Amino acid sequence: MELCCIVQLGVPSSASPGTLLSSPMLKEHDITQQSEGMRTLSLGGHVGFDSLPDQLVSKSVSQGFCFNILCVGETGIGKSTLMNTLFNTTFENEEASHYLDKVLLRPRTYDLQESNVQLKLTIVDTVGFGDQVNKEESYKPIVDYIDTQFENYLQEELKIKRSLFNYHDTRIHVCLYFIAPTGHSLKSLDLVTMKKLDSKVNIIPIIAKADTISKSELHKFKIKVMSELVSNGVQIYQFPTEDEAIAEINSSMNAHLPFAVVGSSEEVKVGNKMVRARQYPWGAVQVENESHCDFVRLREMLIRVNMEDLREQTHARHYELYRRCKLEEMGFKDTDPDNEPFSLQETYEAKRKEFLSDLQRKEEDMRQMFVNRVKETEAELKEKERELHDRFELLKRTHQEEKRNVEEKRRDLEEDMNSFNRRKVAAETLQGQAFQAASQLSIKKDKDKKNFFTLPSACSLTAGRNLN
């Protein structure tokens, strides 16, 4: 039983021999073949294919594993601290602002090694989630990111020359949804986001900073959260109970959801040993003490027991759903309307003919549209040309009319100027004649006056002479 568990944890989630051996489809196929008359034979001696699980384990360990975690929660709720606590290391972290206008997804990949097992871990942080005033579309960047990773993997699968062996699988295997410890109920943003994500990723809800509320309040809050998730139809990840080896522990852990966790990378001395804890004036909250928080339960379920199941669920459930929807959009189906097997070649040829006919039709429509637009443009140009010609003729007539008016005004002005000059000359002539006449009259007056004053003297002189 222990060996079977090791094989399950070691097989990659992509199409590998281990997955095929452990898949329910193969078991159903074997049962069907046995029911059709296949005989079961016993071996006469040791053959050696019982070492196949060991071969798979060795091959898987040499290839390494990948695991991708999506952390969804408000800024400052403790996502980075919990990641550091989970993997007992310190990841790169940048202080996030509370004033981003949209949600940004920041993926970071790290190479980790424990014993001889290598893990390529990708942590995707939702920066700015819940910080906007309008939170209606806060979930869209997260959904788009998950779909983009599915699409990248699908494109790699559909290539003629595939390289899935060394392909870096970035599909999200688990979403740790951080719930604020309000003690009342879930926010509408949390319900809407988880509802949009539950068909695309494995959701594990956790109550962050669980040391900020009392135990009684925490217990009631857990019940309230699970009740709201059920009533709103949100499907969270349930730890599998099919395997008898882990059925009991997984069943008990399903009852503890959502996990109430506390994260801390600081070590505090409690008693005679150093433990990771958060120190308060009234005491210390120990991270790995199950009576204080559910951190140990989360670590056990997420990493030590169900990591491979999360990878398989991502590939077999969420990715297959995305792949099926995409292929159905492209027109591919498993059976035709008569429930006969569908040939990929026939489907391709049919879709190709449909595409070519649709392309030809669109080309004809575009050609006809182009001809119509050319005719409309020509008609518009002719109409504008006619309008411009009429406007030019009108301006020409107006110009000629204004030119005639200006010429008439110029002629009238010249006649007025000639008449004024004639009058001016006549006035100057009259003025000269008048001035000349006045000058002559003045001279005559002066002569008369002179003659008048000189006449008595002459008379007296003549009289004196006569007396002598």
Side-chain angles (χ1 to χ4, degrees), residues 309-325:
D309 185 73
L310 289 166
R311 287 156 42 89
E312 290 181 358
Q313 285 291 325
T314 299
H315 181 79
R317 179 187 171 193
H318 302 296
Y319 171 69
E320 284 299 322
L321 176 61
Y322 178 85
R323 176 179 173 275
R324 184 175 71 246
C325 294

Side-chain angles (χ1 to χ4, degrees), residues 234-249:
V234 179
Q235 298 180 359
I236 62 175
Y237 174 74
Q238 294 291 322
F239 303 118
T241 57
E242 292 81 9
D243 190 349
E244 295 180 359
I246 57 175
E248 183 178 356
I249 184 174

Side-chain angles (χ1 to χ4, degrees), residues 170-371:
T170 58
R171 295 173 298 175
I172 300 300
H173 298 125
V174 63
C175 169
L176 297 181
Y177 198 95
F178 289 72
I179 301 172
T182 59
H184 301 288
S185 62
L186 285 173
K187 300 178 182 178
S188 58
L189 174 62
D190 298 331
L191 289 173
V192 171
T193 304
M194 282 192 277
K195 185 62 178 177
K196 295 293 182 179
L197 296 179
D198 63 357
S199 61
K200 299 179 180 295
V201 67
N202 304 310
I203 300 177
I204 298 180
I206 59 177
I207 301 174
K209 297 183 178 180
D211 55 336
T212 58
I213 56 178
S214 64
K215 281 191 175 183
S216 60
E217 291 175 341
L218 182 60
H219 179 69
K220 294 179 182 178
F221 187 47
K222 280 187 174 186
I223 297 175
K224 181 68 174 177
V225 168
M226 292 304 297
S227 174
E228 290 185 350
L229 292 177
V230 172
S231 61
N232 288 275
V234 179
Q235 298 180 359
I236 62 175
Y237 174 74
Q238 294 291 322
F239 303 118
T241 57
E242 292 81 9
D243 190 349
E244 295 180 359
I246 57 175
E248 183 178 356
I249 184 174
N250 280 350
S251 178
S252 63
M253 289 303 159
N254 283 330
H256 283 84
L257 289 173
F259 293 127
V261 299
V262 176
S264 176
S265 57
E266 300 178 357
E267 290 190 348
V268 178
K269 188 174 182 179
V270 177
N272 296 326
K273 61 179 181 178
M274 300 295 292
V275 295
R276 286 185 293 178
R278 298 185 69 88
Q279 185 68 52
Y280 292 99
W282 43 264
V285 178
Q286 301 178 28
V287 173
E288 299 183 5
N289 190 333
E290 295 188 21
S291 63
H292 289 188
C293 69
D294 296 331
F295 172 79
V296 174
R297 298 185 179 95
L298 173 64
R299 184 179 61 189
E300 288 288 327
M301 293 296 98
L302 179 65
I303 300 177
R304 300 182 180 180
V305 177
N306 298 301
M307 179 181 282
E308 181 60 23
D309 185 73
L310 289 166
R311 287 156 42 89
E312 290 181 358
Q313 285 291 325
T314 299
H315 181 79
R317 179 187 171 193
H318 302 296
Y319 171 69
E320 284 299 322
L321 176 61
Y322 178 85
R323 176 179 173 275
R324 184 175 71 246
C325 294
K326 276 293 181 180
L327 293 180
E328 288 178 353
E329 289 178 4
M330 297 169 62
F332 295 100
K333 298 180 180 178
D334 292 333
T335 57
D336 59 11
D338 298 329
N339 291 327
E340 295 294 331
F342 218 62
S343 172
L344 184 63
Q345 180 67 23
E346 293 177 358
T347 304
Y348 171 75
E349 291 296 335
K351 294 299 293 185
R352 184 174 181 272
K353 290 180 181 179
E354 181 182 353
F355 173 76
L356 290 177
S357 61
D358 186 58
L359 182 63
Q360 186 176 3
R361 180 181 57 80
K362 288 183 178 180
E363 185 178 356
E364 186 63 29
D365 293 343
M366 291 183 66
R367 185 183 293 108
Q368 187 64 32
M369 185 185 299
F370 177 75
V371 172

Side-chain angles (χ1 to χ4, degrees), residues 16-49:
S16 65
T19 306
L20 294 177
L21 286 174
S22 61
S23 63
M25 293 179 61
L26 187 60
K27 293 178 181 178
E28 293 176 2
H29 183 65
D30 291 342
I31 295 172
T32 304
Q33 287 185 339
Q34 289 178 7
S35 63
E36 291 177 355
M38 181 175 290
R39 295 182 300 168
T40 302
L41 301 178
S42 60
L43 302 179
H46 182 263
V47 177
F49 58 80

Side-chain angles (χ1 to χ4, degrees), residues 73-79 95-98 100 126-131:
E74 300 174 358
T75 304
I77 203 169
K79 302 186 292 292
E95 292 294 333
S97 173
H98 287 269
L100 296 178
T126 52
V127 182
F129 180 79
D131 291 339

